[in-house]
Amino acid sequence: MWALWTWLISFFFILALLLLLGFQLICLVDLEYDYINPYDSASRINMVVLPEFITQGVLCVLLLVTGHWLVCLLSLPYLYYNVRLYMQGQHLVDVTEIYSQLNVEKKKRFIKIGYLIVLFIFSLFWLLFTLGEEYD
């Protein structure tokens, strides 16, 4: 029963991460097409960066504590990348340089989304596998 709850919680954590990255990507696309000014775009993106990092950290700790080593190992490179960005002070979007870094920032978000989709598929598979095993 605990495995089912673990996979259900990790499923929603990964879904929340996908939504946060989607929001950041929408802000960058709105900035690219001049629907929003650089200050508002940067402040909206910077507002959700730390919750993204914290959610990813909690997800890794949850998977580590519950003993789901494979998915935890798959999510560690993403956590390492986020921690490295935070330690170097590059986790926030700079308002003055956002136009020159727009394509790089969008590419970062797309790579993160692709990586999280793989984790999402793994989590969904193990959730359904555990559900089927639980009620057999």
Side-chain angles (χ1 to χ4, degrees):
M1 187 66 169
W2 286 106
L4 180 64
W5 283 106
T6 302
W7 289 117
L8 193 62
I9 291 169
S10 69
F11 174 80
F12 284 116
F13 273 154
I14 295 171
L15 187 64
L17 286 169
L18 284 170
L19 290 175
L20 287 173
L21 284 169
F23 175 75
Q24 293 174 24
L25 198 58
I26 288 172
C27 287
L28 289 171
V29 169
D30 284 349
L31 178 66
E32 184 178 20
Y33 290 111
D34 285 336
Y35 294 135
I36 192 171
N37 63 36
Y39 177 77
D40 287 339
S41 180
S43 66
R44 289 178 185 178
I45 291 171
N46 291 340
M47 183 177 59
V48 296
V49 167
L50 281 180
E52 172 198 347
F53 289 3
I54 292 169
T55 305
Q56 177 63 29
V58 170
L59 176 65
C60 282
V61 168
L62 173 75
L63 292 171
L64 185 65
V65 168
T66 56
H68 299 291
W69 310 112
L70 178 65
V71 181
C72 182
L73 285 174
L74 285 175
S75 63
L76 279 180
Y78 181 58
L79 180 66
Y80 171 74
Y81 177 73
N82 286 342
V83 169
R84 189 174 57 93
L85 280 180
Y86 184 77
M87 292 297 182
Q88 293 175 351
Q90 298 175 348
H91 62 288
L92 297 177
V93 176
D94 188 15
V95 176
T96 58
E97 297 178 4
I98 195 166
Y99 278 117
S100 64
Q101 296 179 349
L102 190 62
N103 289 329
V104 174
E105 292 293 329
K106 280 176 34 182
K107 198 176 296 185
K108 280 187 206 178
R109 270 44 176 213
F110 276 126
I111 291 171
K112 284 183 176 184
I113 286 175
Y115 194 78
L116 282 173
I117 286 174
V118 171
L119 283 177
F120 185 76
I121 290 170
F122 270 103
S123 176
L124 184 62
F125 170 75
W126 283 110
L127 173 68
L128 295 175
F129 181 77
T130 307
L131 186 64
E133 199 174 72
E134 191 80 26
Y135 292 108
D136 250 354

